[in-house]
Amino acid sequence: MKIKENYSLERHNTFRLPVETRWFIEYDNEEELLRILHDEYFRESASVHIGSGSNLLFLNDYNGMILHSSIKGIDLTEETRDTVRLRIGAAERWDDVVAYAVSKGWYGIENLSGIPGETGAAAVQNIGAYGVELKDVVETVEAYHQHSSQKHTFTKEACRYAYRHSRFKEDDGSLYIVTHICIRLSKIPHLVLHYGNLKEIIISQYATLPHLSDVRNVILSVRKDKLPDPEQFGNAGSFFMNPLISAEHVEALKVQYPQMPFFRTEEGDVKIPAGWLIEQCGFKGKSFDRVGVYDKQALVLINLGGATGQDIALVAERIRTAVAERFRIELIPEVKYIG
Ligand code: EPU
């Protein structure tokens, strides 16, 4: 176990904000986690559990305990003729899991290539990209309840997965600490290429039937073209979720904005790309002192150098207000504010 006092979180949040936490505690296994959960001081302190900080906005220094898991491992726990089941430690970098699965020829998560962050947080957030969400492959999620210290194994249904949502983001659910997830992947070739112009890009680059690793490579390069590297500009990927609006609302908007892109969800709502709404309001490529709106994807806010969490939150608020006034749509941050 690693315990640090007055510790800088600069390398633990991809906005690269140089905030400090009173305590930083990193545990290596479930026994150590249980020791922390039973600790009197921990029980009385404010605490937040983080992954690699790729979806966090620290507004201030944190006067409590930041917990971080070091539980790793990708174990093959079952293999059938057609599928494999993997049990993965929460601290495993998500993209390492994808790279491993692709190298083994296992299908299901290749579209989730290049997403920053760790596996536990990926399962809490239900990460999604290019037509695939983590929920599509999850079988179970193992987690400890912070108050009772009991371990629970949740089935996919019990995780209440939805777009960028799970029970672990709900009020009670956020008291769970995820230690492992189990996913099932397919050994039978099956590619998901319906998103945007993914299929055309792949076909233009690979004349023959695309291989699993071709899909990964194309997605990595599309992401590289659209999304900034946090080593260059601190950022947390999409700052807002894509809003879901009613069918009536979209009909009304289409009259005024016939070119507005939208996608129907399985539940009958309509999803509008927040990037488009933000671009229409004139923010794309603009900078506000030390905070920028990325010029290739308006959904991404970037730290131009020396920004604080408050600076970023203020720009986000400005964007929310402009979009609400113009489109009567409320943008909800995907990024979690802390402090
Ligand atoms: N668009 C614009 N202007 C922009 C950005 C987007 O008009 O500046 C419009 C375009 O019409 C474009 C459409 O929005 O065709 C969709 O854009 P894109 O494919 O980039 O996807 P997105 O909806 O903006 C979502 C995820 C991303 C994920 C991509 C690809 C959310 C909040 N974001 O973005 O996830 O990589 O789809 O599947 O759902 C993340 O969560 O951090 C993230 C990067």
Side-chain angles (χ1 to χ4, degrees):
M1 184 158 13
K2 182 165 108 181
I3 303 179
K4 305 265 185 198
E5 192 175 357
N6 299 329
Y7 179 75
S8 170
L9 293 171
E10 190 165 353
R11 301 308 300 173
H12 293 273
N13 75 97
T14 56
F15 270 120
R16 300 285 178 249
L17 302 170
V19 287
E20 276 198 355
T21 174
R22 179 72 207 283
W23 296 101
F24 183 79
I25 305 179
E26 202 163 55
Y27 55 90
D28 296 319
N29 50 50
E30 292 174 63
E31 292 71 40
E32 287 185 358
L33 171 60
L34 278 171
R35 264 173 40 212
I36 296 168
L37 296 184
H38 288 133
D39 181 80
E40 195 77 18
Y41 188 60
F42 171 77
R43 294 171 85 92
E44 283 168 11
S45 303
S47 64
V48 175
H49 197 291
I50 66 167
S52 63
S54 55
N55 206 36
L56 301 178
L57 182 68
F58 285 99
L59 298 174
N60 301 104
D61 288 337
Y62 188 69
N63 188 21
M65 293 187 183
I66 299 282
L67 287 188
H68 182 244
S69 168
S70 278
I71 299 178
K72 293 217 174 179
I74 308 177
D75 298 323
L76 178 63
T77 53
E78 194 186 296
E79 181 159 11
T80 67
R81 200 189 55 174
D82 300 340
T83 68
V84 290
R85 183 177 193 267
L86 302 178
R87 181 170 182 261
I88 308 158
E92 211 48 75
R93 273 187 68 231
W94 173 252
D95 197 50
D96 291 346
V97 178
V98 180
Y100 179 70
V102 168
S103 75
K104 291 288 195 181
W106 297 331
Y107 293 75
I109 51 177
E110 57 283 357
N111 291 33
L112 302 178
S113 288
I115 298 183
E118 294 171 3
T119 302
V124 169
Q125 175 74 3
N126 185 23
I127 54 169
Y130 305 101
V132 174
E133 289 184 324
L134 188 53
K135 75 165 170 51
D136 301 337
V137 294
V138 165
E139 268 196 6
T140 55
V141 173
E142 298 168 38
Y144 284 83
H145 193 276
Q146 274 192 46
H147 291 169
S148 69
S149 304
Q150 290 294 311
K151 182 170 183 174
H152 299 263
T153 300
F154 295 96
T155 60
K156 185 216 293 264
E157 290 68 34
C159 290
R160 295 202 279 271
Y161 278 127
Y163 169 60
R164 296 293 195 272
H165 181 81
S166 72
R167 76 177 299 152
F168 309 108
K169 290 179 81 176
E170 295 170 7
D171 285 348
D172 289 356
S174 57
L175 288 171
Y176 286 101
I177 294 176
V178 173
T179 56
H180 296 86
I181 73 167
C182 288
I183 62 174
R184 189 166 294 272
L185 302 177
S186 174
K187 296 201 282 188
I188 299 175
H190 173 69
L191 299 175
V192 178
L193 304 177
H194 62 76
Y195 185 92
N197 57 352
L198 187 57
K199 199 171 188 170
E200 289 81 72
I201 300 175
I202 289 178
I203 288 172
S204 71
Q205 293 188 21
Y206 301 95
T208 51
L209 277 178
H211 185 262
L212 190 54
S213 58
D214 303 334
V215 177
R216 173 168 167 78
N217 290 338
V218 164
I219 284 179
L220 287 175
S221 83
V222 169
R223 290 186 67 93
K224 202 161 170 243
D225 286 346
K226 271 198 183 171
L227 300 167
D229 176 359
E231 292 308 323
Q232 197 187 357
F233 292 118
N235 76 90
S238 303
F239 195 92
F240 299 100
M241 292 195 262
N242 284 333
L244 295 170
I245 65 172
S246 68
E248 296 82 65
H249 193 167
V250 80
E251 287 311 319
L253 286 173
K254 265 164 63 183
V255 175
Q256 217 180 336
Y257 304 99
Q259 78 291 17
M260 181 177 76
F262 62 89
F263 309 92
R264 293 195 192 280
T265 67
E266 288 159 20
E267 295 78 29
D269 287 314
V270 179
K271 203 189 256 184
I272 311 284
W276 184 85
L277 297 169
I278 298 168
E279 183 173 347
Q280 292 299 306
C281 291
F283 286 98
K284 192 171 183 170
K286 291 265 165 64
S287 53
F288 302 88
D289 198 10
R290 297 172 288 186
V291 180
V293 180
Y294 197 51
D295 58 356
K296 294 181 196 145
Q297 165 55 287
L299 196 43
V300 180
L301 300 187
I302 55 178
N303 180 354
L304 296 169
T308 65
Q310 311 264 3
D311 295 336
I312 296 167
L314 276 174
V315 173
E317 204 41 49
R318 212 162 151 163
I319 292 173
R320 266 165 62 93
T321 306
V323 169
E325 279 173 4
R326 178 142 173 204
F327 295 100
R328 287 176 293 112
I329 293 178
E330 190 198 354
L331 290 184
I332 299 172
E334 180 185 319
V335 166
K336 183 174 166 185
Y337 289 32
I338 297 181

